[in-house]
Every structure is written in C-alpha cells, then in structure tokens.
Amino acid sequence: MSNLGQIFGSNVFNDAVMRERLPKATYKALKKTIEEGRPLDPAVADVVASAMKDWALELGATHFTHWFQPMTGITAEKHDAFISPTADGKAIMEFSGKELIKGEPDASSFPSGGLRATFEARGYTAWDCTSPAFLKDDSLCIPTAFCSYTGEALDKKTPLLRSMEALSKQALRVLKALGNTTTNKVITTVGPEQEYFIIDKKLYDQRKDLIFTGRTLFGAKPPKGQELEDHYFGSIKERISAYMKELDEELWKLGISAKTKHNEVAPAQHELAPIFSTTNIATDHNQLTMDTMKKVALRHDLVCLLHEKPFAGINGSGKHNNWSMGTDDGMNLLEPGHTPHENEQFLVFLSSVIKAVDEYADLLRVSAANPGNDHRLGANEAPPAIISIFLGEQLQDILEQIENGGATRSKTGGHMEIGVTTLPSLPKDATDRNRTSPFAFTGNKFEFRMCPSSASIAGPNFVLNTIVAEVLSEVADRLEKAKDVNSEVKAILAEYVTKHKRVVFNGNGYSDEWVAEAEKRGLPNIKTTVESIKALISEKNIAVMEKHGVLSKVELESRYEISLENYIKTINIEALTMIEIAKRQILPAVIKFATNLAASINTIKATGLAVDLTVQTELLTEVSSLAAALKKNIAVLEDAVEKASNAHGDTYKQAELFRFDVFEKMGTLRDVADTLETLVDKDVWPMPTYGDLLFNI
Ligand code: ADP
Ligand code: MG
C-alpha cells in the first residue's frame, strides 16, 4: 500500500483540490454556498465544471454522472461521456456548468408512490455542492438531489438537506436567545457503524434465496452458532483481513474516513465505522461504503451481505447512527462538560431531544423500519420496537434534581482500581454503557441503534433533525418572548423533564418487564414495519414535516405508498423464492433420498437375511410424511400469495395480508423444510447448509 496520507481523498474533488484549481473568486463564492448556504451563481458553476472536468480527465475519467439516491434506497447513476464531436471529425472534452448543476434522467422507473405517472417521466437531478464530487471507476460522480417536474422530492437526499437547514435555523434561534453571538450555523453530525456478513462466493452461488432476497429462507440451526461468543472482537482471519484492507484503501481514496473494523457477534459478521462527519456527507459516504463493500468482496471471491437478517438463529445486522449537533465555531451542543448540571445550554438541547423523541417516537420507529429489520427489532439481539432513551446515571440524576426544583450537583465517575499496581488507574466514566436501548446517550452524542443495516441513513436523520428542530422552535418561541430568559429556561427544563421522563429508561430493554412497563407508561410498541408505516401520514407528523419544509403532505403520502409497496414486493419475492426452492430443489432431493432408502430396504430384503430394518423403515416413514407436509405447505403458501397478490385496491390492507398471512405461512413451510434438512443425507441436500456458509472462511 502506498502512503495513507497520499491515498486519502485522492479520488475526491475536495477542498484542497478546489483551492488549488479554482480561481480565488470562484473558490470563495463556492465556499459561501457550501458553508453559508448562499445561492449558487451560475457563472461560478461554469468555472467549477471546467476545473472538475480537467481534474477528472487527468485521473483517467471518461464519463460524468449525476449520482443520486432515489426511493429504491440504493444509489443511481447514468453515465455520459465528456466527448463533444467537432466539425473535423474529432472530439473535444466538454462539461458545462449547466451539466454540472442540472441533469434530467428519464425517471419513469423509479418509485414515486403516485407522485408521477409513467407518462410524466421527467425527473431532475440538482447538484449538491455541499457533498464533494468524486471519481468512481471511469466516472466523475456528482452528488445530486432528485426531484420531479413539479419539484417534489423523489429521493432521500432532498428531505435530509431540508431538515439540516431547519435544524440549523431553530437551533440558532435558541442559541441567540441564550446569548450566543458567535455561532452562525448549526450542523448535525453523524457517524454510522455499519455491520455486514461475509461469505464465500462459491457457496453463495448455490443459494437461490441469497441471490434473490439477500437472506436465507431455509436453513437448520448448525451445531455451533454464536453461543461461545468467540467471534466478537476475535482475531481476524487472513482472507477477511485481506478484504478489509482493500476495502479500507478503496474507501480512503473516496475520502471516507474508515476508522474502526472488527469481528462482530455472529459468525461471519463484521463491522466498519468511519469518523463522523456532516450528516449529508455521512449519508453519501455510507451509501458509497455499502456499495464498495459489495464490490470489493467479489474481487476476493467473497460476497458481502448487508441484509438485516441473513441467517435465522444468530444475530442480524444493524447500523448504529451516532448523531449530534455541532456549531460552525466548534461547539458540540450535546457535550455535557464536567459539570452538566450547570451547563444550561446543554440541558436545553438535551431536554429538547428527549421531548422530540417522546412526541415523535412513531416517526423514529418508521424511519428504522424495513422488511429485514422486522426480524431484529424486539428479538433480543437488537433494541426492542419500543422507542426509549438511555441517559445513564449521571444525567438521570440531574433530571431528577431538575424535577425536584433545580439541579445543584453532578455525579462523577471517579477512578477505577483494577487491583494490579503495574496497571494504570483509569479515570471512570460517569456512566456505564447500555446495549439494549434504541436511543442511547453515549457521552456527547446520541446513538440511534435501531437503524437497518441495508438502508440509507437519510430517513432516520431527517426525522431526527426535523423533530428536534420542532422542539427547538418551541423553545425559541418561548425564550424570545421571555422577560427573564433564565427563569424561562428553568421552567422549560422542569416542564420537559416532567412531561417526557416516561421515555427515559436506563434498564434492560430486552426484558419482558420493560415491555409491560412501557405499556403502562403509554409508550407505543409498534411491532411490524407495516403497522409503523401509518405514522407517515398521521396528521401530527404531516404537520411537523410541513411546518419545517422537510416534506409536504403529498410527498409524505407518496412515501407511505412507496414503503407499503416495497414491503409487499419484498415479501412477495421471498415467498415466490421459497416456493421455487421448496418445489424444485428440496422436494426432489427429499424424494431422491426416500427412493434411495426404499431401494436400500428392498436390496437388503432381497438378500433373504434376517436383518433389522427398523432404522431404514422408520426414517423412510418420517421423511415421507414430512415430504407430504412440505408439499401441503407449499400449496398453502401458493394460495396465500395468490390471494394477497390479487387483493388490489387498498395498499395498506394488501401489505397486512402479506405480513399476517403470507409471511406467517413462509415460517411454517420453513420449519418443515428445516426439519427435513436434519434428516436427509447431506450429499443429496440441494444447497450449502448454515454450517457451510458460516464457518467456511
Ligand atoms: P461504539 O462501537 O463504542 O459505539 P465506535 O467507535 O464504533 O463506537 O463508533 C462511534 C461512532 O460515533 C464513530 O463513527 C464516531 O466517529 C461517531 N461520533 C463520535 N462523536 C460524534 C459526534 N459528535 N457526532 C456524531 N458522531 C460521532
Ligand atoms: Mg456502537
């Protein structure tokens, strides 16, 4: 590997490159747009485009593409060569400001949730200059937002950018009201920890379920799972290590600060975390990270699985979304300092987050919902489906003091004595960690731990930004009007803490007692994706999204439709894949096995010897009756799929059919097949088993 300092960001049109290649005035104008949100001058775009093109051509690029994030949840790109033919039969390389700023992909095939009929195919991409352009393969990629002819957002980036502006605006009002005169902008920061599985490509290729759905739809529990906890933070195998090394290098070239890598809890599971950055860039980078993870794996004859639950019976994958608010003059608004009880500003922001999470728990829940995550949330490996906040001992204590009339002291951690004189005495954090909380305060940020591993983090973040902006706007309204800001702050803190402490829970989120306790407290427990989607169109949620200009009612209705359709399609594909595998692979294998058994019984009988044949006959009887059950359950599932597929009209009702009928029946079919797997000769079983997939590298 070459020098890390040299390769980091080498494929990015970043600040250093811009400073070097742009005329001073252009650079300054562009920076004003990036940093202060000033509108972009079209003349500037021409100059930037030309510099970008020269830079990209020097690095071997031939094409450019507007890179965007439609509602499929993955990224989209359409490549155009830089060439422009000349009269003498040659070509010159061109790239104008117009091409940089605006693109017009024929967008008819992207999900729009009814926002746009297919005959009205126009969609536009608009340059997001706050996220740097980069080079991928032979193309200059320009991060863009994607919207319809009428200006409605058709992507993940647009609401995210809108929400960042909303939060900045409201947070600034609060800061000003508290007497801050130096801050000009508040930025939300995010560091997403990405979990993933790596398996051997040869085995992957033999599993239709992995190929079509990203998860195993069949598979008996292997003798060994994760019970020994020997994989977590374990020493990394050479083949995986070589993969991780190349992955890191590819990410560094893209300016992605891949920082931490380790083995995760489940066998074959790993994690990568970057250093946090601005939400917008973190979101783009996370999309690129997922893309690169998959691509680099193939180079090593490996496959990277990003599905939330590729394997039953062992942990699935999530994405911890570490989130905070920072200022342009370097403050972290969620930094409590050594004496948080005196840190009024911190307490205002903290209690605003608490109120926002309590009042809009349903929006946060839907932001972390997808079909894959339904296998995790509430399943004792991921946080429960109930949204609650972990604050830890120190802050909990301060909240109690606030409730009882005012905070006067902060508990400290002190020192930890390990009991060996040669080991250093370690300063102890004021608070322990909590693994079971969906929304945990971790020192100077919140960690939203519910997010699905395969999904964009745009959704969770625009929801967080918007709901916090809403509460901050209420705080600002009160502080701006207050005669005495200090006593108003005290009143706000006391009110927010008293009213919203129900969402704070520092105990074991995996326990049954918590489910009962949460119900008593009136906290929503939304168990499935389908049910969670309703939150997108509730009056209260439409109001908050519209008020802050993040999504309009029409846009939310379109997202409601898209989410339901996505659910329906996903389960439909899974069910059809199950049927195909069960019918054409498992059943024939079982019949073959049974036939072999029968033949063996006959052959032995033909010898005329008085041999005990009970093993063979019992096995044959058991396998044959399970085969009959398999056949029956295939038919039952086929019927359910047909019924659900034909239930047009109300998308919500159709999604319910897929969840509560089709999905349930898939489980029954799987149980029968998995039992058969434990009985049938491994040599005739038509696909690699869990043991093969998870312990082969
Ligand atoms: P852990 O696994 O202990 O939660 P990691 O180091 O794996 O911790 O991940 C923590 C993530 O939080 C990193 O991506 C880190 O950059 C990020 N982070 C740290 N400070 C902030 C902050 N102020 N805002 C957003 N993210 C942050
Ligand atoms: Mg974490």
Side-chain angles (χ1 to χ4, degrees):
M1 185 185 80
S2 55
N3 181 317
L4 168 55
Q6 266 167 14
I7 69 166
F8 190 82
S10 56
N11 284 348
V12 187
F13 193 74
N14 54 23
D15 191 59
V17 178
M18 290 196 281
R19 204 171 331 127
E20 184 191 312
R21 290 179 173 253
L22 295 176
K24 234 187 188 138
T26 311
Y27 173 76
K28 271 197 180 152
L30 184 61
K31 286 292 270 191
K32 273 208 165 14
T33 301
I34 295 172
E35 281 170 7
E36 295 166 27
R38 303 270 177 89
L40 189 82
D41 176 355
V44 168
D46 266 327
V47 182
V48 177
S50 168
M52 262 187 193
K53 177 200 67 187
D54 292 343
W55 170 80
L57 289 175
E58 279 167 34
L59 290 172
T62 51
H63 289 68
F64 68 92
T65 177
H66 275 200
W67 182 79
F68 58 107
Q69 299 167 33
M71 295 303 295
T72 50
I74 50 178
T75 55
E77 44 198 75
K78 179 183 141 209
H79 305 260
D80 280 297
F82 284 116
I83 48 169
S84 172
T86 51
D88 59 358
K90 295 199 167 171
I92 50 164
M93 303 299 136
E94 271 190 343
F95 184 50
S96 68
K98 230 172 82 198
E99 287 170 304
L100 167 64
I101 289 182
K102 188 176 127 194
E104 199 194 324
D106 174 358
S108 50
S109 295
F110 291 113
S112 77
L115 266 184
R116 194 199 42 212
T118 36
F119 58 89
E120 296 165 339
R122 254 180 221 272
Y124 293 104
T125 48
W127 178 32
D128 168 20
C129 66
T130 60
S131 182
F134 55 90
L135 210 68
K136 195 161 67 99
D137 305 323
D138 299 331
S139 282
L140 167 68
C141 298
I142 298 144
T144 53
F146 178 48
C147 63
S148 74
Y149 183 65
T150 42
E152 274 106 8
L154 291 173
D155 70 344
K156 307 257 172 188
K157 187 189 269 279
T158 309
L160 184 66
L161 292 173
R162 292 172 179 166
S163 76
M164 288 166 69
E165 286 190 11
L167 185 126
S168 179
K169 185 169 153 199
Q170 303 305 338
L172 269 182
R173 286 179 62 206
V174 172
L175 287 174
K176 292 243 148 34
L178 291 174
N180 173 317
T181 52
T182 52
T183 299
N184 294 307
K185 192 175 170 186
V186 174
I187 307 135
T188 50
T189 48
V190 164
E193 301 162 50
Q194 177 73 49
E195 292 182 334
Y196 61 98
F197 279 85
I198 291 286
I199 60 169
D200 192 291
K201 171 91 164 52
K202 282 192 301 298
L203 301 175
Y204 170 90
D205 287 339
Q206 297 168 53
R207 300 271 325 201
K208 292 259 184 302
D209 47 4
L210 286 175
I211 293 172
F212 293 140
T213 73
R215 75 177 180 105
T216 53
L217 299 167
F218 296 101
K221 203 176 167 316
K224 179 178 192 277
Q226 65 189 39
E227 54 278 82
L228 292 180
E229 293 170 338
D230 50 352
H231 193 255
Y232 192 49
F233 284 6
S235 117
I236 300 171
K237 301 230 173 77
E238 254 176 58
R239 205 169 155 204
I240 297 294
S241 185
Y243 162 72
M244 286 178 165
K245 183 168 168 292
E246 191 173 338
L247 174 62
D248 276 342
E249 284 177 25
E250 290 295 333
L251 295 177
W252 291 335
K253 282 188 211 162
L254 289 166
I256 299 172
S257 53
K259 167 97 174 148
T260 311
K261 52 186 180 186
H262 61 80
N263 287 350
E264 254 301 328
V265 172
Q269 192 186 28
H270 313 278
E271 180 182 299
L272 180 148
I275 296 173
F276 72 94
S277 53
T278 310
T279 313
N280 167 34
I281 294 175
T283 305
D284 285 359
H285 279 179
N286 183 245
Q287 293 296 125
L288 277 175
T289 300
M290 292 194 285
D291 208 31
T292 311
M293 280 179 160
K294 289 194 205 153
K295 209 164 63 183
V296 174
L298 292 175
R299 293 184 202 155
H300 293 253
D301 276 320
L302 298 167
V303 174
C304 169
L305 304 175
L306 292 171
H307 193 282
E308 289 71 28
K309 194 73 178 178
F311 304 100
I314 54 171
N315 277 14
S317 298
K319 187 140 57 189
H320 293 173
N321 188 79
N322 295 274
W323 175 92
S324 190
M325 294 169 277
T327 66
D328 62 343
D329 53 340
M331 256 192 299
N332 177 351
L333 297 174
L334 291 178
E335 171 60 58
H338 293 301
T339 49
H341 72 278
E342 296 173 333
N343 188 344
E344 213 169 49
Q345 178 183 298
F346 165 73
L347 292 174
V348 166
F349 281 93
L350 176 78
S351 60
S352 299
V353 175
I354 295 173
K355 178 168 157 53
V357 171
D358 187 29
E359 285 186 343
Y360 297 96
D362 57 344
L363 261 184
L364 277 175
R365 173 67 182 88
V366 67
S367 80
N370 77 357
N373 230 10
D374 273 10
H375 299 278
R376 300 178 63 241
L377 301 181
N380 282 9
E381 56 158 79
I386 307 160
I387 303 266
S388 68
I389 300 179
F390 169 83
L391 285 182
E393 220 183 305
Q394 188 190 45
L395 294 182
Q396 176 67 32
D397 177 57
I398 292 175
L399 291 202
E400 279 163 19
Q401 294 178 51
I402 290 174
E403 218 193 332
N404 296 324
T408 53
R409 60 185 188 279
S410 298
K411 285 191 177 177
T412 53
H415 273 72
M416 203 165 42
E417 287 310 325
I418 305 178
V420 179
T421 47
T422 51
L423 290 178
S425 146
L426 302 177
K428 195 167 149 189
D429 289 307
T431 291
D432 197 3
R433 290 256 196 168
N434 176 302
R435 282 190 337 109
T436 64
S437 173
F439 203 83
F441 187 74
T442 49
N444 57 6
K445 60 187 188 293
F446 275 103
E447 184 172 357
F448 185 28
R449 305 174 65 252
M450 259 187 178
C451 305
S453 53
S454 71
S456 161
I457 53 168
N461 285 301
F462 83 66
V463 166
L464 254 174
N465 293 347
T466 310
I467 63 179
V468 173
E470 168 56 21
V471 179
L472 292 175
S473 79
E474 292 164 26
V475 174
D477 288 346
R478 286 173 66 167
L479 293 182
E480 282 165 5
K481 268 191 255 136
K483 287 206 186 71
D484 177 354
V485 169
N486 267 337
S487 52
E488 189 62 18
V489 165
K490 288 208 171 65
I492 291 173
L493 290 180
E495 183 190 317
Y496 285 9
V497 169
T498 314
K499 274 203 190 142
H500 301 288
K501 65 177 182 199
R502 65 172 194 161
V503 76
V504 177
F505 176 65
N506 293 308
N508 178 7
Y510 291 174
S511 68
D512 294 336
E513 292 81 47
W514 169 232
V515 177
E517 164 73 16
E519 198 181 335
K520 251 194 262 155
R521 295 191 190 182
L523 301 178
N525 183 0
I526 306 167
K527 295 199 177 96
T528 68
T529 287
V530 175
E531 292 157 289
S532 77
I533 292 170
K534 277 197 260 186
L536 289 174
I537 50 165
S538 79
E539 223 171 279
K540 173 190 74 149
N541 294 337
I542 291 175
V544 74
M545 288 289 163
E546 288 209 313
K547 175 174 167 191
H548 296 281
V550 174
L551 284 173
S552 67
K553 180 162 188 265
V554 176
E555 289 169 330
L556 279 161
E557 283 166 352
S558 108
R559 269 151 220 259
Y560 168 83
E561 279 295 318
I562 291 170
S563 305
L564 288 173
E565 276 166 19
N566 174 261
Y567 185 84
I568 291 168
K569 287 175 188 164
T570 304
I571 303 300
N572 188 45
I573 293 170
E574 288 186 355
L576 294 181
T577 306
M578 276 197 106
I579 292 167
E580 155 124 0
I581 294 175
K583 260 181 156 167
R584 302 189 50 209
Q585 291 188 279
I586 297 180
L587 202 55
V590 172
I591 291 171
K592 193 163 159 191
F593 178 65
T595 310
N596 285 346
L597 264 179
S600 133
I601 293 170
N602 282 338
T603 315
I604 296 170
K605 273 188 186 157
T607 63
L609 296 169
V611 174
D612 181 354
L613 285 167
T614 43
V615 171
Q616 288 92 326
T617 43
E618 271 177 30
L619 192 54
L620 181 57
T621 313
E622 194 179 357
V623 165
S624 301
S625 70
L626 280 166
L630 188 77
K631 181 80 178 50
K632 192 188 106 212
N633 280 297
I634 294 172
V636 169
L637 181 58
E638 281 177 326
D639 281 350
V641 172
E642 196 182 320
K643 200 171 101 209
S645 302
N646 290 328
H648 299 299
D650 182 336
T651 326
Y652 189 83
K653 289 221 170 82
Q654 190 176 21
E656 273 187 323
L657 273 179
F658 273 96
R659 173 60 186 85
F660 298 107
D661 193 29
V662 175
F663 183 77
E664 296 299 321
K665 286 176 175 148
M666 285 164 58
T668 319
L669 174 58
R670 175 178 184 151
D671 287 344
V672 179
D674 289 357
T675 311
L676 275 166
E677 187 194 315
T678 64
L679 297 171
V680 170
D681 183 349
K682 186 162 188 320
D683 289 342
V684 297
W685 195 252
M687 60 195 127
T689 63
Y690 268 29
D692 301 330
L693 291 166
L694 292 168
F695 295 97
N696 153 282
I697 292 170

